[in-house]
């Protein structure tokens, strides 16, 4: 890949590679290049694993089998896909106005905390399930929204860099959760709260096994319904409403948006609130649908993975959900081989290769003989 | 009270040294017009490498050296992706952080069992360390702290008083003009990005070899991000970076220093709140420079985060 930037500095007299901008990269180019890059990323990560003393083929085989190889694997993958999709959609929404919300992890934790508070203290055992779940979802969204509004307001009002502030708030949120699960809400110092009442649990597929026996044992919960709902709502919001148009306008050119009458600060704060609310809903899903209690390690880094998922999905809601499904399988696979590090490593390599490969989408590489006149 | 404040400041200087190195490195990277958000990942790899090499060789200085090399190599990866391949710098930096945290966890998993390696030795400066108050704060530390003391004025001198510093500021503010002047923009940028990585590796190894001589997954716990924040707080100036780093260090150690008070020992849950302080401090630090007119006087390098493509110079 020599000579990719400079034209005058290369010695003449030999073949060289040149980059030509593509006019309008099509969808086919996008998909084809992306698949090619994914293969490259897996190869590269495999080399790293071999250096670290593992057998990448075995690792990939057991990871793929765990995530996608059976009904049970798919079940687990879909369970992980729910929080991942919600948090990623939040990140994608914020990015539509060129704001990097690196704080989905903290927003998820605050959502889980708020939903848990409701489940533990505001829901009597005889409350109807739909009402209990509705209250928890609202609290989860609110908890995440607060954690999005703070950096949104700091950015809108004072210009505080949101990358740093959202990330710092992740650690603050973790400390708050630790305070509650080891302190006032904790059970015997294990870093977890008591189990919630049954009426705060999102129903699982296995509960419908009497009608459909194929569902027996499946832990996928009804939170999965939030995925299509969120995709549709977000797509409508972004593409069909005045507010969505304003978001895109602010993202493209804040000055032009202001002259056009968009209230920048208000838009920024609302978008960060919605972004945080989506991540907060992810947290509510985890406590209500999966573990039925709050614990310190409620998230294996969903909020961080969400950044990668949102970027790989090119901030398009439907594409984000597809990538979230694949990454859900990746997390399940990493659980299977008991190495969270492998998952983080793979995510890093994939993101690296994909962002480098953007060049292949934007430019066409031409082999060219040196020109006569230089 | 004076004894307590002395202890807080002394441990602040010691604890802040790791983030100081990373901050100074990122400061040069950004001065050259490149944003590298991979500091956290480079520090993690530095901490793991430094600890591992020290365990293997028994020599902590070899560990420091290896950490610096690894940090520099990771930064070169960012330079290749962000500068040569012209990828988005934010995304490439994020990828570097993910890569560093994953790789350090995978490669470092055998090291978690290792309890003890040789640390960087402490050397109380003769006579000076006996001065009341100032002695413990400034002259009773491990060697890395003194290296930090030396680096701060050196960095300041390099940026503001040398020809190289002038060129550095030029490629960060106006790369096209620097190019016309005959400055090798691409080459210099790559070198400064590498320097940032070397310093981040050093900062990580400072943590694992002098401060908390151990390796666990995610040891850095956000200090790389703090470094990126402190560069903004510092207005891209090494002297202000020093104050920010040492203040952060003092707050980071505060939960442990406060154990000297009976009231805090009796109420351990307060520790969860004191441990938030360094992160809240970073946000408040950014807020103060945003509110004051400091931000306007010491703005970011004008070309920060933008790849320089010579063919597009006139566009």
């Amino acid at each position: 890949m020599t000579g990719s930037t400079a034209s005058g500095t290369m010695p003449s007299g030999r073949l060289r590679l040149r980059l030509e901008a593509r006019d309008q990269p099509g969808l086919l180019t996008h998909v084809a290049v992306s698949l090619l890059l994914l293969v490259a990323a897996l190869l590269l990560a495999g080399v790293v694993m071999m250096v670290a003393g593992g057998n990448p083929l075995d690792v990939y085989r057991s990871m793929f089998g765990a995530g996608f190889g059976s009904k049970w694997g798919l079940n687990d993958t879909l369970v992980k896909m729910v929080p991942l999709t919600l948090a990623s959609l939040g990140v994608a929404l914020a990015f539509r106005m060129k704001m990097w919300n690196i704080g989905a992890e903290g927003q998820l934790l605050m959502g889980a905390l708020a939903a848990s508070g409701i489940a533990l203290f505001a829901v009597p055992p005889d409350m109807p399930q739909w009402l209990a779940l509705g209250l928890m979802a609202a609290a989860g969204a609110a908890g995440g929204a607060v954690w999005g509004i703070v950096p949104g307001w700091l950015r809108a009002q004072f210009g505080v860099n949101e990358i740093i502030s959202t990330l710092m708030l992740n650690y603050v949120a973790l400390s708050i959760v630790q305070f509650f699960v080891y302190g006032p809400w904790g059970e015997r110092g294990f870093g977890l709260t008591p189990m919630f009442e049954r009426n705060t649990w999102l129903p699982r597929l296995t509960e419908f096994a009497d009608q459909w026996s194929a569902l027996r044992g499946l832990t996928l919960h009804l939170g999965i319904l939030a995925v299509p709902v969120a995709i549709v709502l977000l797509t409508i919001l972004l593409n069909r409403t005045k507010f969505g148009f304003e978001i895109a306008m602010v993202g493209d050119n804040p000055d032009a948006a202001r002259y056009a009458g968009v209230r920048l600060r208000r838009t920024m704060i609302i978008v960060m609130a919605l972004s945080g609310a989506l991540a907060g809903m992810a947290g509510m899903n985890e406590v209500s649908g999966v573990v039925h209690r709050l614990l310190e390690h409620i998230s294996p880094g969903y909020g961080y993975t969400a950044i990668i998922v949102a970027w790989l999905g090119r901030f398009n809601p439907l594409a984000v959900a597809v990538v979230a499904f694949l990454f859900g399988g990746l997390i399940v696979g990493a659980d299977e081989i008991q190495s969270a590090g492998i998952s983080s490593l793979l995510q890093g390599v994939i993101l690296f290769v994909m962002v480098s490969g953007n060049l292949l989408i934007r430019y066409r590489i031409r082999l060219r003989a040196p020109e006569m006149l230089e | 009270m004076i004894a307590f404040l002395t202890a807080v400041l002394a441990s602040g200087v010691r604890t802040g040294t790791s983030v100081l190195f990373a901050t100074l490195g990122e400061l040069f990277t950004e001065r050259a017009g490149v944003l590298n958000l991979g500091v956290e990942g480079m520090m993690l790899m530095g901490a793991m490498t430094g600890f591992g090499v020290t365990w293997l060789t028994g020599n902590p200085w070899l560990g420091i050296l290896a950490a610096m090399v690894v940090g520099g190599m990771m930064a070169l990866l960012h330079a290749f992706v962000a500068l040569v391949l012209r990828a988005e710098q934010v995304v490439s930096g994020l990828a570097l952080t993910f890569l560093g945290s994953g790789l350090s966890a995978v490669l470092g998993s055998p090291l978690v069992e290792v309890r003890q390696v040789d640390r960087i030795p402490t050397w109380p400066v003769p006579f000076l360390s006996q001065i009341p108050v100032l002695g413990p704060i400034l002259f009773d530390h491990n060697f890395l702290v003194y290296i930090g003391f030396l680096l701060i004025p050196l960095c300041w001198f390099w940026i503001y008083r040398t020809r190289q510093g002038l060129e550095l500021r030029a490629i960060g503010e106006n790369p096209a003009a620097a190019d016309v002047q005959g400055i090798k923009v691409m080459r210099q940028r790559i070198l400064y990005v590498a320097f940032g990585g070397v310093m981040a590796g050093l900062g990580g190894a400072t943590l694992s070899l002098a401060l908390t001589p151990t390796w666990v997954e995610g040891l850095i716990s956000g200090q790389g991000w703090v470094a990126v924040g402190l560069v903004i707080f510092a207005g891209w100036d090494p002297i202000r970076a020093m104050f920010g780093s040492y203040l952060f260090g003092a707050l980071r150690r505060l939960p442990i220093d406060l154990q000297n008070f009976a009231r805090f020992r009796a109420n351990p849950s307060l520790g969860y709140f004191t441990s938030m302080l360094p992160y809240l401090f970073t946000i408040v630090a950014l807020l103060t420079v945003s509110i004051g007119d400091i931000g306007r006087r010491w703005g970011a390098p004008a070309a920060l985060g933008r790849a320089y493509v010579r063919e597009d110079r006139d566009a």
Side-chain angles (χ1 to χ4, degrees), chain A residues 4-5 48 52 100 158 167-168 171 175-176 179 182 304 308 311 341-342 344-345 348-349 352 355-356 359 362-363, chain B residues 81 85-88 90-91 96 98-99 101-103 106-107 221-222 225-226 272-273 275-276 279 287 290 311:
Chain A
S4 59
T5 53
V48 176
W100 282 101
F158 305 107
L167 198 110
M168 292 296 114
Y171 291 97
S175 283
I176 295 176
F179 166 73
Y182 285 102
Y304 295 108
I308 304 183
W311 190 83
I342 291 272
S344 175
L345 170 67
V349 173
F352 239 126
V355 71
S356 322
L359 188 83
R362 282 186 293 130
Y363 298 90
Chain B
V81 172
L85 298 184
R86 306 171 207 168
E88 292 165 70
V90 170
V91 185
L96 198 60
F98 283 109
L99 186 71
S101 62
L103 204 55
V106 171
L107 296 176
S221 58
W225 292 101
V226 170
Y272 296 112
F273 294 96
S275 67
M276 294 172 198
Y279 304 111
L287 188 60
S290 306
E311 288 95 324

Side-chain angles (χ1 to χ4, degrees), chain A residues 136-215:
Chain A
M136 285 173 73
V146 169
W147 232 235
I149 287 173
V150 172
W153 175 71
L154 287 173
R155 165 73 197 275
Q157 192 72 33
F158 305 107
V160 172
N161 182 314
E162 81 281 3
I163 298 182
I164 308 297
S165 61
T166 50
L167 198 110
M168 292 296 114
L169 285 175
N170 287 345
Y171 291 97
V172 177
L174 184 62
S175 283
I176 295 176
V177 168
Q178 284 171 338
F179 166 73
F180 277 104
V181 298
Y182 285 102
W185 299 358
E187 209 176 36
R188 297 186 306 266
F190 289 126
L192 35 82
T193 66
M195 192 77 92
F196 302 160
E197 296 288 344
R198 286 301 289 245
N199 59 344
T200 66
W201 297 14
L202 278 163
R204 288 175 162 169
L205 289 186
T206 186
E207 291 167 34
F208 304 96
D210 292 340
Q211 290 95 321
W212 296 284
S213 59
L215 298 181

Side-chain angles (χ1 to χ4, degrees), chain A residues 169-313:
Chain A
L169 285 175
N170 287 345
Y171 291 97
V172 177
L174 184 62
S175 283
I176 295 176
V177 168
Q178 284 171 338
F179 166 73
F180 277 104
V181 298
Y182 285 102
W185 299 358
E187 209 176 36
R188 297 186 306 266
F190 289 126
L192 35 82
T193 66
M195 192 77 92
F196 302 160
E197 296 288 344
R198 286 301 289 245
N199 59 344
T200 66
W201 297 14
L202 278 163
R204 288 175 162 169
L205 289 186
T206 186
E207 291 167 34
F208 304 96
D210 292 340
Q211 290 95 321
W212 296 284
S213 59
L215 298 181
R216 194 170 306 282
L218 292 184
T219 55
L220 182 61
H221 54 85
L222 289 193
I224 188 81
L225 295 181
V227 169
V229 171
I231 293 171
V232 169
L233 286 181
L234 209 57
T235 308
I236 293 174
L237 174 78
L238 289 173
N239 300 331
R240 293 273 181 275
T241 66
K242 177 162 167 283
F243 188 65
F245 180 67
E246 289 179 351
I247 294 173
M249 222 172 143
V250 176
D252 285 343
N253 189 339
D255 288 328
R258 193 169 50 233
Y259 290 128
V262 178
R263 291 155 73 185
L264 281 186
R265 290 175 185 171
R266 182 171 153 271
T267 314
M268 271 187 186
I269 294 171
I270 293 177
V271 164
M272 281 302 286
L274 289 175
S275 175
L278 280 161
M281 291 282 281
M284 177 269 175
N285 258 285
E286 288 307 282
V287 291
S288 171
V290 182
V291 283
H292 309 136
R293 59 179 7 147
L294 181 63
L295 40 95
E296 182 185 359
H297 301 290
I298 187 77
S299 161
Y302 288 129
Y304 295 108
T305 305
I307 304 161
I308 304 183
V309 171
W311 190 83
L312 290 180

